[in-house]
Amino acid sequence: MKYDYKQYEKHWQNKWEEDKVFVCDIDKSKKKFYGLVEFPYPSGAGMHVGHIKAYGGLEVITRKKRMEGYNVLFPIGFDAFGLPTENYAIKTNTHPRTVTDNNIAKFTSQMKRVGFGFDWTRVIDTTEEDYYKWTQWIFLKLFEHGYVFRDKASVNYCPSCRCVLSNEDSQGGKCDICHSDVVQKSKDVWYLRITKYADKLLQGLKDVDYLPNIVLQQENWIGKSEGAFASFALKEVDEKLRIYTTRPDTMFGVTFMVMAPEHPLIDKYAEKIGNMSDVIAYREECAKKTEFERTQLNKDKTGVKLQGLTAINPLSGKEVPIFISDYVMMGYGTGAIMAVPAHDERDFEFAKKFGVDIIPVIKGGDGESAYTGDGEMINSEFLNGISNKKEAVSAAIKVLEEKGLGEGGTQFKMKDWAFNRQRYWGEPIPIVHCQHCGDVAVPYDELPLRLPNMEQFVPGEGGESPLAKVESFVNCVCPKCGAPAKRETDTMPQWAGSSWYFLRYLDPHNEKEFCSKEALDYWMPVDWYNGGMEHVTRHMIYSRFWHRFLYDIGEVNTPEPYAKRTAQGLILGPDGEKMSKSRGNVVDPNEIVDKYGADVLRVYIMFMGDYEKASPWSDSSVRGCKRFLDRVAGMAEMFGCASTAESESALHKLIKKVTSDIDNMKFNTAIAAMMSYINGVYDAGAINRDELKVFVTLLAPFAPHLAEEMWHDLGESTYVSLTPWPKYDESKTVDNTVEIAVQFLGKLKGTVVVPADADENTAWEIIEKSGVLDQALEGKTIVKKIYVKGRIFNVVAK
RNA sequence: GCCGGUGUGGCGGAAUCGGCAGACGCCCGAGACUUAAAAUCUCGUGGGAUUAUAUCCCGUACCGGUUCGACCCCGGUCACCGGCACCA
């Protein structure tokens, strides 16, 4: 075998590194292209074939861009703080630093074996001091500008990890790391005010080119709703109960109010409430439920009617009772609602159970269930007769405003970002607690605040951070007043380091700034970011928030970090199930590289299906790709013939197809086109030498090692990886004659070959001469002829 | 429950704008080469009827519609996948 991958893959990887083929620098004479992939979490298991797919897409794209003359930045690094490493370290009694270093070494060698064209001079590791120094620096900027606050709150807590989780990390009531049930616990929590950016994050989606489902998921996560705030006066005390509603049009249908069990007004007026003991009992009952139980749909509505407190409808003046119930959450809106059972399903269910009045205010309901549709207003005084939608909504808001009892307003589902973790392996939060000054920022010039070296870092039973045990770390002096003080001992969540890493790549060795202005000006924004769908509502939201904040304080030059975002589909196991250790269906990329070489692995993963969709692994299809590359290599012994108009046309069509397919991430059809081309060459038994060279350049982004080797054997002394991408001549991709389908009443009867520019009459003459329609048309009269140039000729006859 | 997405041969998947369904690959079958096997090469391969070739019928989850013509558009149904989930 002339082309044995074992002989040349390593060779070319070394050559690329020696000659800095993928190393880039600012070059204002060239157009830049910044391609970004989600840097890996270096787990002990090593790389997964899914990593190869995730990076493979932009690997092909950036290689092509480089050949097209762009100055390409395609960096890689490691997102290495986090619980899995820490848990593994505890289990094996190894320091997380050692675990991390080992895992990074493993990932690095694996990625190099696959031949990815990363700029290895820019590698970053979020756990290095010179990196997390700047993570802390950004945190302090957020603190300085009032985006950090501390609160005692009921939070998502994972009993197994002994750690607080953000809303994003406990989706579905499960811990994202260990999948245990998350419980609610009252804890001291550091929050980042991401909600202040809710509107900007939403608006920003209009200026970027993300896949539509990514935009939609982010919009849903941010969850903007429009409605009104209204104040219901309490009859017995001088107090107003403020509520939020999206349906101010239905305000005349309010028959009761509901407050969250934890609502502060309850405690404020405890002595006015006749049945406070029932309230306390109900609260205890609610506290016992897990988040999951509490949010289960279709469960029975529960609640307690408050005795001794009554609300007054600001529009109608009517008095209505007040309940507490856990179907109203303290964390959304104002923690209290006006209930309109005639037009809200939950309120309806509650009213039925507790025997409260149901007053319809919109025509159209049947009284059997809540009517949530639109219609004409009834039973609503000044709103009667108009449509509920826009008219009644704005009329109701107008009157509320006139009375000073409410106003239009918006609400977001997104919550503030719970930012502290009671674990060791993370960035220390650079805050000092001083008895006199409160929470004080560590001065910028004292950064990095180093993570102390520890031998034992199991978190405390009570959920306190392991750092609390290190007295030399905890005890310090207040930077403001110099009095003895204590350091914050919690660390940042895993998502901190990844919220700005794409900026550090631009200038990874800068000791004075997180990134130079010059580098920001040249490289930002990221032109194309590819990654997994699982990061759409976390990493992407977080990093967009940080970036937008940095933009607002003048530290970066673009409001949005990522101009374009795509996502690859999963690689499933051969059984069609998600790959997992427990199912035993995981494919190790190393084995494929050992057996067939990196190029085969790369080509197969790009060929296996639509890049954006999930598809199952198939070992025999891998062999098909091996066969393809063998056939490519085999062409090296087939050149020598002259180029013909036909061969030239085939090649130009191929250039066109591969070029546009790569741009559209249709890697599978690009490879299919190359396979077809090769089949044509084998049919002909020969290929022209120059045409083979063009083919090799087209193959280079997919199978770069074989391409370099063949390029070299074709007598070239340059790198094919740096060779200009071939251009096609549109006129050579168009055929002179085309085969068109001939149909009778839309059914295929045969095909004929006609000149590509043939008009209807010419085409019809050819069809008549061919006789394909003779049988179908026998004894019939032609009613209509439909001719689509280059496609079909359909005849309608009776 | 709500919001998305998907549904095409034995399998992975193709199919610009509504215009030859099944490209390309896998699997399988036949042949060539070989003492033989592997590898390689060549050919065949949606299902059915029939006289192998000609010809005809059926076929893109299901039911119906629009159209000369529908995998594609419209209405309805089912299944699977993903996201959100008492958000007032």
Side-chain angles (χ1 to χ4, degrees), chain A residues 204-212 215 527 562-566:
Chain A
L205 292 172
K206 290 182 181 149
D207 305 321
V208 292
D209 175 21
Y210 293 179
L211 286 181
V215 172
D527 292 283
Y562 320 121
K564 177 177 178 138
R565 166 78 185 200
T566 51

Side-chain angles (χ1 to χ4, degrees), chain A residues 46-121:
Chain A
M47 276 181 88
H48 185 272
V49 282
H51 287 110
I52 316 288
K53 186 170 176 187
Y55 308 154
L58 275 182
E59 159 76 357
V60 170
I61 287 163
T62 53
R63 278 180 178 268
K64 168 169 165 283
K65 288 277 180 193
R66 190 176 291 111
M67 292 167 80
E68 285 175 330
Y70 284 84
N71 188 22
V72 169
L73 170 59
F74 188 43
I76 193 70
F78 300 95
D79 185 17
F81 271 135
L83 271 183
T85 296
E86 185 169 334
N87 289 342
Y88 180 81
I90 291 169
K91 210 166 89 189
T92 59
N93 203 22
T94 324
H95 196 276
R97 176 76 266 159
T98 314
V99 175
T100 299
D101 289 343
N102 291 344
N103 291 349
I104 286 179
K106 190 168 180 179
F107 268 65
T108 301
S109 87
Q110 282 183 303
M111 286 194 277
K112 288 191 173 176
R113 278 194 81 193
V114 178
F116 286 131
F118 292 127
D119 180 349
W120 289 100
T121 67

Side-chain angles (χ1 to χ4, degrees), chain A residues 663-675:
Chain A
D663 292 340
N664 295 310
M665 293 192 129
K666 300 288 177 201
F667 308 114
N668 53 338
T669 50
I671 293 168
M674 289 192 270
M675 288 173 168

Side-chain angles (χ1 to χ4, degrees), chain A residues 479-500:
Chain A
K480 225 181 208 171
C481 71
K486 293 203 183 295
R487 287 191 192 283
E488 171 61 50
T489 56
D490 285 358
T491 53
M492 298 187 196
Q494 148 119 59
W495 307 103
S498 60
S499 290
W500 70 284

Side-chain angles (χ1 to χ4, degrees), chain A residues 37-262:
Chain A
V37 292
E38 286 169 347
F39 62 164
Y41 183 82
S43 71
M47 276 181 88
H48 185 272
V49 282
H51 287 110
I52 316 288
K53 186 170 176 187
Y55 308 154
L58 275 182
E59 159 76 357
V60 170
I61 287 163
T62 53
R63 278 180 178 268
K64 168 169 165 283
K65 288 277 180 193
R66 190 176 291 111
M67 292 167 80
E68 285 175 330
Y70 284 84
N71 188 22
V72 169
L73 170 59
F74 188 43
I76 193 70
F78 300 95
D79 185 17
F81 271 135
L83 271 183
T85 296
E86 185 169 334
N87 289 342
Y88 180 81
I90 291 169
K91 210 166 89 189
T92 59
N93 203 22
T94 324
H95 196 276
R97 176 76 266 159
T98 314
V99 175
T100 299
D101 289 343
N102 291 344
N103 291 349
I104 286 179
K106 190 168 180 179
F107 268 65
T108 301
S109 87
Q110 282 183 303
M111 286 194 277
K112 288 191 173 176
R113 278 194 81 193
V114 178
F116 286 131
F118 292 127
D119 180 349
W120 289 100
T121 67
R122 292 173 185 263
V123 174
I124 55 175
D125 167 358
T126 56
T127 66
E128 296 278 2
E129 285 172 18
D130 60 1
Y131 183 88
Y132 73 69
K133 168 182 178 174
W134 298 107
T135 309
Q136 291 172 329
W137 183 88
I138 297 171
F139 176 87
L140 287 182
K141 284 285 169 194
L142 285 158
F143 184 79
E144 186 186 322
H145 288 83
Y147 287 97
V148 178
F149 69 101
R150 196 150 61 110
D151 197 10
K152 189 131 188 124
S154 175
V155 295
N156 304 303
Y157 181 79
C158 174
S160 163
C161 297
R162 293 181 184 171
C163 195
V164 167
L165 299 173
S166 72
N167 224 30
E168 286 81 0
D169 281 338
S170 49
Q171 297 179 26
K174 301 273 179 197
C175 170
D176 190 57
I177 292 138
C178 70
H179 310 289
S180 321
D181 279 343
V182 170
V183 299
Q184 298 302 297
K185 199 167 174 172
S186 181
K187 288 221 65 132
D188 235 4
V189 186
W190 286 98
Y191 286 104
L192 298 193
R193 274 191 216 282
I194 192 171
T195 52
K196 283 237 170 181
Y197 272 86
D199 230 353
K200 281 183 176 176
L201 291 172
L202 197 60
Q203 293 308 314
L205 292 172
K206 290 182 181 149
D207 305 321
V208 292
D209 175 21
Y210 293 179
L211 286 181
N213 57 333
I214 294 176
V215 172
L216 205 77
Q217 260 191 48
Q218 293 203 0
E219 282 173 351
N220 288 343
W221 186 257
I222 296 166
K224 183 175 184 170
S225 84
E226 295 193 30
F229 291 94
S231 294
F232 283 62
L234 298 186
K235 187 182 151 194
E236 294 82 357
V237 292
D238 182 22
E239 183 71 63
K240 289 189 176 82
L241 176 58
R242 196 166 153 81
I243 59 100
Y244 175 73
T245 179
T246 54
R247 298 294 303 274
D249 53 321
T250 62
M251 200 164 274
F252 285 94
V254 173
T255 55
F256 60 102
M257 311 293 289
V258 186
M259 293 160 91
E262 319 88 292

